[in-house]
């Protein structure tokens, strides 16, 4: 069965510092991987996705993620964090079943210190 | 395009009351989903639909019913609300991987439901 873990419940970084959010997944086949962001009081918005090909994926808002099959990881990175990046971040893994099933991780809450 | 809209945004119910949450999308997506979001648990799938007139159970379907009479609408019903259903409910929609080659989900803004 699919599963997603995000080891960090909450992370605090200073504005301008680099960021890495960790995501590990469990899935028996090639996964489809996603990162979503949720700003306070809002729905989720897709940051980036990996389906196949280049393992380094670029997304919106300056984010990127790298798929590492050997480590079953899909970590999200940003070189310089902005105060507006404070939000909840969800990693998700998808599989082709009877429908396009997606399992979400528990989320990592990001705080940014000015 | 409005994307995915949800009504209402907030609701307070007493135990045993019923209500319906409405989700609408204007992107012609085949698939629609209802999730609930609880602290520390991410999003859990309640029910989903792969097309007009079809629905199926997700991970946590008990106490909920759904209907998809029109492609653009997906209704979530609570027949007899319980305090354990206090949560934030999100609707999402997507194309299917088979037809579009991609299936990222588009989310509504959520409905915050409190059952007392």
């Amino acid at each position: 069965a699919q599963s997603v873990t995000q080891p960090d419940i909450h992370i605090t970084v200073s504005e301008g510092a680099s960021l890495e959010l960790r995501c590990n997944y469990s899935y028996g086949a090639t996964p489809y991987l996603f990162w979503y962001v949720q700003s306070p009081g809002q729905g989720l918005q897709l940051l980036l996705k990996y389906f196949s090909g280049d393992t380094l994926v670029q997304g919106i808002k300056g984010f990127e993620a790298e798929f590492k099959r050997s480590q079953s990881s899909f970590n999200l990175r940003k070189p310089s964090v902005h105060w507006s990046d404070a939000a909840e971040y969800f990693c998700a893994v998808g599989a082709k079943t009877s429908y396009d099933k997606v399992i979400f991780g528990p989320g990592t809450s990001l705080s940014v210190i000015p | 395009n409005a994307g995915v809209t949800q009504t209402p945004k907030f609701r307070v119910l007493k135990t045993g009351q019923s209500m319906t949450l409405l989700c609408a999308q204007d992107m012609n997506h085949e698939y629609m989903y209802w999730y609930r979001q609880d602290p520390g648990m991410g999003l859990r799938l309640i029910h989903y639909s792969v097309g007009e007139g079809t629905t199926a159970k997700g991970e946590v379907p008990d106490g909920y019913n759904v209907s998809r009479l029109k492609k653009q609408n997906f209704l979530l019903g609570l027949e007899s609300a319980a305090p354990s259903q206090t949560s934030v409910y999100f609707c999402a929609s997507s194309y299917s991987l088979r037809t579009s080659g991609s299936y990222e989900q588009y989310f509504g803004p959520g409905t915050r439901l409190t059952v007392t």
Side-chain angles (χ1 to χ4, degrees):
Chain A
Q2 303 152 262
S3 67
V4 181
T5 57
Q6 294 179 247
D8 304 305
I9 296 173
H10 185 259
I11 286 181
T12 300
V13 299
S14 298
E15 191 168 18
S18 63
L19 172 70
E20 182 170 31
L21 301 182
R22 296 183 290 165
C23 172
N24 294 97
Y25 68 89
S26 173
Y27 184 58
T30 300
Y32 302 129
L33 296 162
F34 308 86
W35 273 101
Y36 286 85
V37 61
Q38 183 182 29
S39 298
Q42 304 295 316
L44 279 70
Q45 179 185 21
L46 181 72
L47 279 177
L48 48 79
K49 62 187 179 185
Y50 171 79
F51 276 19
S52 64
D54 193 345
T55 56
L56 184 61
V57 179
Q58 301 298 319
I60 63 172
K61 303 184 181 186
F63 286 92
E64 66 177 25
E66 186 171 12
F67 170 53
K68 293 185 177 180
R69 185 187 301 275
S70 61
Q71 299 177 17
S72 297
S73 68
F74 189 56
N75 294 349
L76 182 71
R77 300 193 295 250
K78 187 170 184 178
S80 179
V81 170
H82 187 263
W83 63 267
S84 61
D85 293 324
E88 188 91 16
Y89 291 80
F90 293 93
C91 181
V93 59
K96 192 68 180 81
T97 60
S98 57
Y99 68 103
D100 295 329
K101 182 177 181 179
V102 176
I103 299 294
F104 289 85
T108 296
S109 176
L110 174 66
S111 297
V112 181
I113 301 172
Chain B
N1 288 346
V4 180
T5 58
Q6 293 182 233
T7 53
K9 287 184 171 53
F10 303 93
R11 186 72 185 269
V12 178
L13 289 179
K14 295 186 187 303
T15 297
Q17 287 185 318
S18 64
M19 77 164 293
T20 299
L21 282 66
L22 172 63
C23 175
Q25 54 95 4
D26 61 2
M27 295 172 281
N28 203 34
H29 286 163
E30 298 110 311
Y31 290 3
M32 296 187 75
Y33 312 82
W34 276 107
Y35 293 93
R36 59 178 290 172
Q37 183 180 34
D38 303 292
M41 302 189 73
L43 277 76
R44 292 182 292 169
L45 183 65
I46 304 171
H47 287 279
Y48 65 95
S49 168
V50 299
E52 183 178 321
T54 70
T55 63
K57 294 179 180 180
E59 182 185 356
V60 288
D62 294 342
Y64 305 95
N65 56 75
V66 289
S67 65
R68 193 165 177 204
L69 300 180
K70 294 182 179 181
K71 186 176 184 179
Q72 64 267 37
N73 295 337
F74 195 30
L75 279 63
L76 177 71
L78 285 72
E79 293 181 344
S80 179
S84 60
Q85 294 178 304
T86 294
S87 188
V88 181
Y89 292 86
F90 288 99
C91 177
S93 68
S94 70
Y95 292 114
S96 74
L97 182 64
R98 177 177 56 84
T99 60
S100 73
S102 180
Y103 66 102
E104 62 262 34
Q105 296 180 8
Y106 293 79
F107 284 81
T111 295
R112 185 173 296 274
L113 175 66
T114 301
V115 183
T116 62

